[in-house]
Amino acid sequence: MHLTLLVPELIWPEPADQFTLGKLAAPGCEWLLGHASLNRRPRRPFENVLAAHCGLADAPFGALRLLGEGSAAAGEGHWLCADPVHLRFHHERIVLADAGAFDLEMDEAAAIIAALNSEFADIGEFHSHDARRWYLRLHQAVDHPVAPLSAMAGRRVDGELNGSALPLTRWLNEVQMFLHGHPVNSRRERTGQPAINSLWLWGGGCLPQHAPAAFTGIWSDNPLAAGLAQISKTPLAPRPATLAEFLPQAGERPLVVLDQLLPRVLYEDGEGWRTAFTALENDWFAPLRKALGGKVDRLTLIAPCVYGELHYEIAGGERWKFWKKAQPLMSTAEQLAKQAQA
């Protein structure tokens, strides 16, 4: 079996963070990285990496993610992800918080979407299948190339919002003014909750007719991965909890998306990242060290993070190369940071 693991934010983005990386017990992961060959590529958001490895270099994320939500409407028209966000001023800069950083109830989302559909019916039609994931089907397709939400959450977005020449920017200003006065936001502000004061529009396009099948199976709970599996007619299964649970059903060329670390980095939650990493170490990395050369012939570990798109390749025979040494994950982060600055 050639196993591919996609693990966004495998390496914590602050190499000097003793609280998160100091004395981190990671012998399995450190052994795998120490014995693997590394191919370091330019940094790309997780969504771009996932789609590219599933055979779609220029993917319409909105339509694909909506397809993964189970909506038959995904194949009808030009879709954008229109995710609810909160923009706040921080040190005279505008910073974006996505809905994963705060609570948003489905009835609140439904009320705002109904109001948007009433106010902006001439532009398109809003949909949601989750309180945090919204969609917009445009009546007239436009090219609106912006980064995925995961690349912008918690980051400065001034340049993306002010003076942008993108076709939907002026209309988005109208949306923001409309949201400012919505009763749901007035109620949220009275109770000290962040207002839904903007949308992040990204991933536009029409659903392709098909995509190549790059893997014999995809294991993931991510709706974008589900959409990619459906469009490529690749069998899809829920993300397995452990390697032991996964191996009996793995197949020849499986892809497993382990994205538990991603939200912890987006929300600067070092303690949560450390907890999630420890679970991956115990359930996946340490067992993989033993499985390599047995049920797993080859492992490809893809880790998009602040240091780049890291590709680790290791074959079963590498386990016998005793001269290759593991090093603490903190040292690996420090080396990667120095290389990124060079």
Side-chain angles (χ1 to χ4, degrees):
M1 176 210 314
H2 181 179
L3 170 61
T4 298
L5 293 183
L6 176 54
V7 191
E9 306 299 349
L10 174 65
I11 313 293
W12 182 250
E14 300 175 36
D17 186 349
Q18 288 284 347
F19 176 80
T20 303
L21 291 175
K23 297 181 180 180
L24 180 65
C29 181
E30 291 166 357
W31 185 91
L32 291 171
L33 301 190
H35 285 72
S37 60
L38 170 60
N39 178 10
R40 182 173 176 170
R41 304 179 185 180
R43 183 181 178 185
R44 288 193 293 177
F46 157 69
E47 292 86 351
N48 294 89
V49 175
L50 172 61
H53 285 280
C54 289
L56 288 178
D58 188 19
F61 295 119
L64 286 166
R65 198 180 72 176
L66 184 60
L67 180 67
E69 305 265 26
S71 174
E76 302 169 0
H78 183 104
W79 288 95
L80 287 156
C81 297
D83 296 323
V85 299
H86 172 73
L87 302 179
R88 62 184 175 89
F89 281 100
H90 181 68
H91 297 309
E92 299 183 352
R93 297 177 176 179
I94 301 176
V95 176
L96 181 150
D98 75 314
F102 50 81
D103 293 328
L104 180 63
E105 300 299 329
M106 194 63 203
D107 61 338
E108 294 178 308
I112 295 175
I113 286 174
L116 289 170
N117 278 330
S118 176
E119 181 71 14
F120 300 106
D122 58 324
I123 300 295
E125 184 179 2
F126 288 88
H127 292 256
S128 72
H129 282 257
D130 181 275
R132 299 175 178 179
R133 296 189 298 273
W134 301 1
Y135 303 89
L136 170 62
R137 178 167 53 192
L138 293 172
H139 294 322
Q140 183 175 354
V142 297
D143 187 23
H144 187 74
V146 300
L149 184 58
S150 72
M152 303 306 300
R155 292 168 173 81
R156 177 182 176 181
V157 294
D158 309 55
E160 300 284 347
L161 299 171
N162 299 327
S164 172
L166 294 176
L168 295 177
T169 301
R170 182 175 296 178
W171 172 71
L172 187 57
N173 291 334
E174 296 181 31
V175 172
Q176 291 169 354
M177 289 187 288
F178 176 77
L179 290 173
H180 177 73
H182 193 277
V184 166
N185 280 327
S186 300
R187 185 166 61 249
R188 289 178 65 87
E189 289 175 341
R190 286 196 303 270
T191 57
Q193 295 176 288
I196 309 306
N197 56 14
S198 190
L199 306 174
W200 192 252
L201 304 174
W202 63 282
C206 298
L207 192 70
Q209 294 297 314
H210 60 83
F215 301 97
T216 54
I218 296 176
W219 279 257
S220 176
D221 296 330
N222 186 291
L224 175 59
L228 288 163
Q230 187 167 334
I231 203 68
S232 63
K233 296 182 171 55
T234 301
L236 174 71
R239 184 181 70 198
T242 66
L243 180 70
E245 174 190 316
F246 165 71
L247 285 178
Q249 53 182 325
E252 184 179 353
R253 292 189 331 277
L255 168 67
V256 180
V257 181
L258 301 175
D259 52 1
Q260 301 96 308
L261 301 175
L262 178 60
R264 306 281 69 82
V265 169
L266 293 183
Y267 312 138
E268 300 179 349
D269 178 8
E271 183 177 1
W273 183 93
R274 189 179 174 103
T275 299
F277 180 91
T278 298
L280 288 176
E281 167 68 22
N282 295 334
D283 296 335
W284 288 89
F285 301 140
L288 266 170
R289 177 177 177 177
K290 298 179 180 179
L292 196 66
K295 291 186 177 180
V296 180
D297 300 313
R298 177 174 292 275
L299 170 66
T300 298
L301 176 58
I302 305 169
C305 61
V306 70
Y307 310 108
E309 185 181 331
L310 309 179
H311 286 238
Y312 292 95
E313 295 278 350
I314 182 169
E318 298 294 314
R319 64 181 299 112
W320 307 113
K321 295 183 178 180
F322 57 87
W323 59 89
K324 290 190 172 183
K325 301 297 182 182
Q327 65 177 356
L329 203 62
M330 191 170 192
S331 298
T332 298
E334 290 170 348
Q335 290 181 1
L336 290 168
K338 289 179 181 179
Q339 293 168 5
Q341 294 171 357

